[in-house]
Amino acid sequence: MADDGAVTVYGGSAITDATAAKKNPFSIKVGMVQMLRGGAIVEVSSMDQAKIAESAGACCVLVSEPNTSGISRMPDPSLIKEIKGSIAIPIVARARVGHFVEAQILEAVGVDYIDESEVLAIADEDHFINKHNFRAPFVCGCRDLGEALRRVREGAALIRTQGDLRGSGNIVETVGNVRKVMGDIRVLNNMDDDEVFTFSKKIQAPYDIVAQAKQMGRLPVVHFAAGGIVTPADAALMMQLGCDGVFLGSDVFDCPDPYKRVRAIVQAVRNYNDPVILAEASSALEDTLAGLNLSENRVERFGGGGGSY
């Protein structure tokens, strides 16, 4: 994560506020997300979990339904209202990809951010939500630079580079996808301006957004990582690779002392370049990782369930 202040928002050469004037201008949405930089967003499914996350230092909570079988949809609005009334930090909730009515409902119940999430069932296989039509800033997932910049064009104010969706505790996919995004940005930075046209076609992203990323040397919006982040070292790794923060799945609560575990990861995110603090944060966490089993090929959780991030 860069330490050079707030991310520059779009100017006249990229996304203009005229395209987003129906609700909040896009530049305001990008500014609203800046407060999350350097923090951890924790997935919760109850008021008690939300209070633990807040007391442990989470910058935001992601409200989700308790694990159920069948189609995954947006959380119950009554659960969102209950949690919103019990904590002071911002709330984000998921809507299915392309399901703009779920997004309308979430905005109506007062969530601070909406995550158009591939973690849920997909409602529309061909279209994403036009996020410029909403007042609330949107979070969107990606696995490469082209996908990230396409979501920014649609109005995403926070990009979540997604790894493992199975809740296995395996960070390898997240590392690979973050490195891919960052590597493509470094390649883009070294290109001549004439080469950017071809590169934008190659990654299937709008030229003006690609040019903005080249100018800034990073994604034009806040960038988090999600998937398999279960230890302070995992979180610090994501930050040192260039992310602005991390998502933690609900599996952080599947331990005897979830406060200690979340607090340790929050401290790692805030002090990701200090090995001494990271060593302290990583100490005496064996019990909190008791639900993880190191298999021959990957880290897997005992039993079913677990968080999506």
Side-chain angles (χ1 to χ4, degrees), residues 33 36 41 138-141 155-160 221-224 247:
V33 176
L36 303 179
I41 299 176
F138 269 74
V139 180
C140 283
L158 189 155
I159 291 297
R160 162 178 44 78
V221 298
V222 174
H223 179 204
F224 273 51
F247 280 84

Side-chain angles (χ1 to χ4, degrees), residues 140-217:
C140 283
C142 81
R143 294 180 184 272
D144 55 56
L145 180 60
E147 187 176 11
L149 298 182
R150 291 194 296 274
R151 300 292 85 81
V152 172
R153 164 55 77 201
E154 296 162 359
L158 189 155
I159 291 297
R160 162 178 44 78
T161 296
Q162 184 67 53
D164 175 52
L165 294 173
R166 300 180 299 273
S168 67
N170 187 3
I171 200 173
V172 65
E173 291 182 42
T174 312
V175 172
N177 291 337
V178 169
R179 283 194 177 277
K180 185 176 181 181
V181 171
M182 297 303 181
D184 283 346
I185 290 176
R186 286 192 294 271
V187 170
L188 176 61
N189 288 342
N190 292 323
M191 287 183 178
D192 294 332
D193 291 340
D194 294 342
E195 296 175 306
V196 177
F197 290 98
T198 301
F199 184 75
S200 64
K201 292 179 181 179
K202 178 181 177 182
I203 66 173
Q204 299 180 344
Y207 167 76
D208 56 345
I209 310 299
V210 176
Q212 184 83 359
K214 172 178 168 56
Q215 180 184 7
M216 296 174 63

